[in-house]
Each structure stands twice: as structure tokens, then as C-alpha cells.
Amino acid sequence: GQQLNQSPQSMFIQEGEDVSMNCTSSSIFNTWLWYKQDPGEGPVLLIALYKAGELTSNGRLTAQFGITRKDSFLNISASIPSDVGIYFCAGASGNTPLVFGKGTRLSVIA
Amino acid sequence: EPEVTQTPSHQVTQMGQEVILHCVPISNHLYFYWYRQILGQKVEFLVSFYNNEISEKSEIFDDQFSVERPDGSNFTLKIRSTKLEDSAMYFCARTLTPENYYNEQFFGPGTRLTVL
């Protein structure tokens, strides 16, 4: 089945630093979604992308839908302690179920 | 405010027992989904449910699993005879509109199932 490679697996950064993470796939997706999950809770949708090349922001978060449709990245600017959590990318093609990456665990050191 | 509510928040059961997990949407939506997440792993699709029928299911969703919407409101996932490897977080999700069939899915808080 389709698989997403998400990197890095984990990151330790200083508060105030910018963060970048990405997802790649061997298959083309029509939709890329980025979620954040806090411990013991459900994933929360951060950004949804629907067009190749699309760049979308949500506050300090910016995500892009790769031109090839096989990748996407998420940037977080000026990180704060509450950014701590696991960030998942997810992709979908037409009417197929969401395929999730394995997540990037972000730790922010104050 | 959660998009859907899920009960119970935590379920402990003995291997071989049946469990029923509940999902209650805030408003009347058409598309629902169940996912599971084994501890420390990625979220995996189980089944999608549209207009009171299963739309699609994954390899994980075998004969031990079933879904239904018994009263037109609650959306349930039943595991007939639980196994140790069924221990996981189970998430219900929904989309806003039919056009967003598999997109922009909003997740509930999850039920943590522990099989002993």
C-alpha cells in the first residue's frame, strides 16, 4: 500500500527557533494534511493543502504542497513551548483513505 | 470543543471479550471513520461509513470488527473477540461535507483500549 516517509523522526530545538519537517511519498497525492497530536489526545488538523505548489499559512505554521505531488513540508516559525507534540502528515488520492506518516516528535527547550 | 465525542475514554477488557466503542457527532454528518493508533505508532485507517453503510475498509478491519449507527446518532465500533494486539487508541473522525469525502477529517479525543 501507499506509504509516507516523514522526517525527521524527532527534533529538539530551542524556544524561538524555526522548525521544518517534511513528508515524501512514492505515490502521487491530491491532498496533503498536517496534524498535531498531544499525548493521549486525538490528532488536530493544522493545515490542509489541495493544489500542487500551494503554500498555506496558519499563524506561525506554513505548509506547502510539493510540485510533484509526492511531497509536502511544514514549517513552524519562532517556536514556543506549546508547540511540543507529534506532527503527522497525511495524504489522500481521490476517494482513498488518509495515509499517515509516522510522525515527527517535536521537543522545545525553553 | 471536540468535533465528535467518544466514550469511554478508557476501556480495559479481558482477551476474548467483546467491546463496543462509541462515537457521538456534534451535529449530523454523513461520513464517519474509525482509525486506530497502536502506542508510539502512526494512525491507521480502519473503516469509513457513509449513509449507514461501510464505504471502505482496510486489511485490519477483519471479521472481528463491525460498525453500525444503531439509532441514527451514535456511531459504534465493535470488536467481537478482543486480542492482545487490539490494544490501541481508537479514533472516530468525520468530515464536514460530502465534497470533503476523504479530506479534512476531524478527529475525536479517542478511546484507549487495553486488552489484558
Side-chain angles (χ1 to χ4, degrees):
Chain A
Q2 294 173 314
Q3 299 228 356
L4 291 183
N5 297 312
Q6 188 170 350
S7 64
Q9 288 186 338
S10 63
M11 308 180 70
F12 288 84
I13 62 168
Q14 292 282 344
E15 182 178 357
E17 287 184 352
D18 297 343
V19 174
S20 184
M21 59 191 79
N22 68 80
C23 266
T24 60
S25 169
S26 57
S27 306
I28 289 174
F29 286 115
N30 294 328
T31 302
W32 283 95
L33 305 173
W34 284 92
Y35 288 86
K36 179 180 182 242
Q37 186 178 30
D38 292 327
E41 298 184 13
V44 174
L45 181 63
L46 299 173
I47 293 179
L49 302 160
Y50 295 103
K51 291 182 183 178
E54 179 182 356
L55 186 71
T56 297
S57 293
N58 178 7
R60 292 178 297 105
L61 278 59
T62 301
Q64 184 158 30
F65 192 140
I67 292 290
T68 65
R69 293 188 169 185
K70 293 183 178 181
D71 64 324
S72 177
F73 72 74
L74 175 71
N75 286 344
I76 306 173
S77 62
S79 58
I80 59 178
S82 61
D83 290 334
V84 166
I86 302 178
Y87 292 80
F88 289 98
C89 62
S93 301
N95 287 334
T96 60
L98 287 181
V99 177
F100 279 79
K102 293 186 177 181
T104 294
R105 182 180 296 274
L106 178 64
S107 300
V108 179
I109 304 168
Chain B
E1 185 178 358
E3 303 292 339
V4 294
T5 59
Q6 291 186 242
T7 59
S9 57
H10 191 189
Q11 174 87 47
V12 181
T13 189
Q14 294 287 331
M15 190 170 57
Q17 295 295 306
E18 175 183 284
V19 294
I20 299 177
L21 310 182
H22 299 265
C23 173
V24 182
I26 300 299
S27 56
N28 194 24
H29 294 97
L30 293 175
Y31 290 98
F32 296 93
Y33 313 83
W34 282 101
Y35 292 83
R36 80 168 185 193
Q37 184 181 33
I38 295 171
L39 183 64
Q41 298 188 23
K42 66 179 180 181
V43 177
E44 299 175 291
F45 170 76
L46 291 177
V47 65
S48 60
F49 193 78
Y50 166 65
N51 209 22
N52 296 325
E53 290 185 353
I54 290 176
S55 299
E56 191 159 356
K57 56 184 181 180
S58 71
E59 294 175 349
I60 304 169
F61 194 87
D62 60 22
D63 292 343
Q64 292 299 316
F65 291 88
S66 62
V67 289
E68 61 179 13
R69 203 173 183 193
D71 57 7
S73 177
N74 282 332
F75 177 47
T76 63
L77 174 70
K78 181 191 292 185
I79 308 175
R80 216 177 319 278
S81 177
T82 51
K83 304 186 286 286
L84 294 177
E85 53 265 38
D86 292 328
S87 295
M89 285 288 287
Y90 287 82
F91 295 107
C92 172
R94 57 90 171 164
T95 51
L96 286 172
T97 65
E99 291 74 34
N100 292 333
Y101 178 47
Y102 272 118
N103 307 326
E104 292 196 39
Q105 292 181 33
F106 297 89
F107 286 72
T111 293
R112 178 176 297 282
L113 176 64
T114 302
V115 182
L116 302 176

